[in-house]
Amino acid sequence: MEVKVLTIREDILGANTEIARRNQERLDKHRVLTVNVMSSPGAGKTSLILQTIGKLKEKARIAVIEGDIASTIDADKVHQQGVPVIQINTAGGCHLDANMTENALDNLPLEEVDLLLIENVGNLVCPAEFALGEHTKVMLSSVSEGDDKPCKYPLMFTETDVVLVNKIDLLPYLDFNVSEFNKAITGLNPRVRIFQVSCKTGEGLQAWFSWLEDEIEQMKNHHGKNINS
Amino acid sequence: MEVKVLTIREDILGANTEIARRNQERLDKHRVLTVNVMSSPGAGKTSLILQTIGKLKEKARIAVIEGDIASTIDADKVHQQGVPVIQINTAGGCHLDANMTENALDNLPLEEVDLLLIENVGNLVCPAEFALGEHTKVMLSSVSEGDDKPCKYPLMFTETDVVLVNKIDLLPYLDFNVSEFNKAITGLNPRVRIFQVSCKTGEGLQAWFSWLEDEIEQMKNHHGKNINS
């Protein structure tokens, strides 16, 4: 029975990859830089998204997809910021997938969006396996989770393009070795970009905003080139 | 295809429940009180287990099963405490299941164990669905994860018998409403037992130790009755 499950699992992942590819083509067409935001529960995904909206909404047209097992708590907070938001409730599912994302894209005015932030379900395991069509994978790792997370959940740290080490305002009260943590991440993923931030105090976020603005700009230029070539 | 997946999922859960039942019979036979310890990554499962071993190992014979996606970091720490420990590496799997647990039980001297602590994979979603054969489900929720977790991950809070609200030493530095949090948990699960603890400072742990000692005692007495009746 185990083999049977694995086969079907491969089918699921294969079908997911195909839909993710279709989603990305659609997002490329509309020049929507799309970021898949992942982390453990309570590591600060929604806080990061709210901070990013607050800083960049005058410069870029932002939309959000909120993935949750239950509730609309996060989507309500985003909605109050005046940006389009779609809530996906997974009804127990432990990650977003490309099909759910496609349904959400059907309900967003993509021609009027420059940056799409997708908040995945809080889970350090399963979301890493399912592409949604995003251009960039971003993960948050809260210092309160401890500095052994890269060793214990390697796939997420290997798959991501960016790690935001969040809640650095709590560092004085924790046993957390920043340099060992960074070393473990770059050992798994040498090309990863790491930002030390506090979404609560705002410390360190400017570097993240600047990086994201560059990415949005590159998406516009890159796509312009494709059209003209 | 979606329906097909659901069917197989039901088969998996059905098969899991059957093996879990078998595991529990085996644990009952040997009078081994078995506790399934669950939480998000980094909420303090290993710290709780180490504290519990330190306090109770003179009073009860303890063994541990460590579930991780990768690494033997936690098992090594437990091993240093001089108790039998089996590491299960799930190779990417996001939860323990009854079959993995059965394999681990085959490798433990159950006739010499009073308390078996099973540390599940750090995940607030999937472990809640898979019984292992345990007598008690215990979850940790770290205050640094925020007080909205019961609304966003309701199944775990509904399924558990005990919530340990961990890292209360960090409360002065967080926006965390203890009474709202407790209200949300008991709203989902009126019979749940809640302990406020810090596995770092030891605050509040005595109540947990006392509760656990009572449970071990009851397991011995209960089983004794069954044998004599």
Side-chain angles (χ1 to χ4, degrees):
Chain A
M1 186 165 148
E2 208 175 340
V3 174
K4 198 173 172 187
V5 174
L6 283 171
T7 308
I8 285 158
R9 185 172 167 74
E10 279 163 18
D11 285 354
I12 291 172
L13 284 172
N16 187 75
T17 304
E18 179 53 29
I19 302 171
R21 202 191 48 69
R22 198 160 72 206
N23 288 345
Q24 201 182 63
E25 279 179 8
R26 190 171 170 188
L27 293 159
D28 282 345
K29 183 181 153 204
H30 291 288
R31 310 183 189 193
V32 182
L33 179 75
T34 301
V35 181
N36 180 1
V37 184
M38 299 176 284
S39 79
S40 299
K45 295 182 294 303
T46 311
S47 299
L48 178 75
I49 287 170
L50 293 174
Q51 288 270 15
T52 304
I53 293 169
K55 182 68 180 186
L56 296 187
K57 74 176 172 184
E58 304 302 327
K59 298 179 180 176
R61 297 167 299 174
I62 303 174
V64 176
I65 297 174
E66 281 293 338
D68 280 298
I69 289 165
S71 90
T72 58
I73 296 175
D74 294 344
D76 294 343
K77 287 180 191 166
V78 170
H79 181 67
Q80 284 170 14
Q81 300 291 312
V83 306
V85 56
I86 302 290
Q87 174 81 52
I88 301 175
N89 276 341
T90 64
C94 57
H95 58 272
L96 294 182
D97 64 27
N99 188 50
M100 296 174 191
T101 305
E102 187 173 46
N103 290 340
L105 295 182
D106 290 342
N107 290 285
L108 281 171
L110 295 180
E111 63 286 356
E112 296 164 22
V113 176
D114 303 312
L115 171 64
L116 174 60
L117 300 167
I118 305 179
E119 179 173 345
N120 218 310
V121 176
N123 182 337
L124 214 51
V125 188
C126 317
E129 292 191 81
F130 288 81
L132 309 180
E134 73 275 6
H135 301 100
T136 302
K137 286 180 159 66
V138 167
M139 72 165 292
L140 291 102
S141 191
S142 155
V143 294
S144 56
E145 293 171 53
D147 52 19
D148 58 355
K149 291 298 144 308
C151 308
K152 294 174 70 177
Y153 302 86
L155 185 65
M156 182 65 82
F157 288 89
T158 307
E159 287 286 314
T160 196
D161 302 296
V162 173
V163 177
L164 289 135
V165 185
N166 192 24
K167 307 196 188 181
I168 58 170
D169 55 294
L170 294 177
L171 279 175
Y173 318 113
L174 299 169
D175 303 317
F176 186 96
N177 189 321
V178 174
S179 64
E180 286 298 315
F181 184 71
N182 291 353
K183 216 168 87 181
I185 298 172
T186 50
L188 289 165
N189 185 348
R191 290 168 308 177
V192 76
R193 189 173 292 262
I194 303 175
F195 298 104
Q196 314 279 333
V197 303
S198 166
C199 290
K200 186 176 179 183
T201 67
E203 189 181 349
L205 281 175
Q206 188 51 54
W208 155 253
F209 297 142
S210 300
W211 178 83
L212 195 55
E213 279 190 81
D214 283 351
E215 293 290 308
I216 296 168
E217 203 54 39
Q218 276 181 39
M219 166 58 82
K220 284 182 189 168
N221 296 338
H222 174 70
H223 197 83
K225 267 189 230 163
N226 281 351
I227 283 174
N228 295 332
S229 66
Chain B
M1 185 167 145
E2 208 174 340
V3 174
K4 198 172 171 188
V5 174
L6 284 170
T7 308
I8 285 159
R9 186 173 166 73
E10 279 163 18
D11 285 353
I12 292 171
L13 284 172
N16 187 74
T17 304
E18 179 53 30
I19 301 171
R21 201 191 48 70
R22 200 159 72 207
N23 288 345
Q24 201 181 63
E25 278 179 7
R26 190 170 169 188
L27 292 159
D28 282 345
K29 185 181 152 204
H30 292 288
R31 310 182 190 194
V32 181
L33 179 74
T34 301
V35 180
N36 180 1
V37 183
M38 299 176 284
S39 78
S40 300
K45 295 181 293 303
T46 312
S47 299
L48 179 75
I49 287 170
L50 292 174
Q51 287 270 15
T52 303
I53 292 169
K55 182 68 181 185
L56 297 187
K57 74 176 172 184
E58 304 302 326
K59 299 178 179 175
R61 298 167 299 174
I62 304 175
V64 176
I65 297 173
E66 281 292 341
D68 280 298
I69 291 166
S71 91
T72 58
I73 296 175
D74 294 344
D76 294 344
K77 288 180 190 166
V78 169
H79 181 67
Q80 283 169 16
Q81 299 293 310
V83 305
V85 56
I86 302 290
Q87 174 81 51
I88 301 175
N89 276 341
T90 64
C94 57
H95 59 272
L96 294 182
D97 64 27
N99 188 50
M100 296 173 191
T101 306
E102 187 173 46
N103 291 340
L105 295 182
D106 289 342
N107 289 285
L108 281 170
L110 295 180
E111 63 286 357
E112 296 164 22
V113 175
D114 303 313
L115 170 64
L116 174 61
L117 300 168
I118 306 178
E119 179 171 345
N120 218 311
V121 176
N123 183 336
L124 215 49
V125 187
C126 317
E129 293 190 80
F130 287 82
L132 309 180
E134 74 276 7
H135 300 100
T136 302
K137 286 180 159 68
V138 167
M139 72 166 290
L140 291 102
S141 191
S142 155
V143 294
S144 56
E145 293 171 52
D147 53 18
D148 59 355
K149 291 298 143 310
C151 307
K152 294 174 71 179
Y153 302 86
L155 185 66
M156 183 65 82
F157 288 89
T158 306
E159 287 286 315
T160 195
D161 303 296
V162 173
V163 177
L164 288 135
V165 185
N166 192 24
K167 308 196 188 181
I168 58 170
D169 54 293
L170 294 177
L171 278 175
Y173 318 112
L174 301 169
D175 303 318
F176 186 95
N177 189 321
V178 174
S179 65
E180 285 299 315
F181 184 71
N182 290 352
K183 216 168 88 182
I185 298 172
T186 50
L188 288 166
N189 186 348
R191 289 168 308 177
V192 76
R193 189 173 293 261
I194 303 175
F195 298 104
Q196 316 278 333
V197 304
S198 166
C199 291
K200 186 176 180 183
T201 68
E203 189 181 348
L205 280 176
Q206 188 51 55
W208 154 253
F209 298 142
S210 300
W211 178 83
L212 194 55
E213 280 190 82
D214 282 352
E215 293 290 308
I216 296 168
E217 203 54 38
Q218 276 181 40
M219 165 59 81
K220 284 182 190 168
N221 295 338
H222 174 70
H223 196 82
K225 267 190 230 160
N226 280 352
I227 283 175
N228 295 332
S229 66

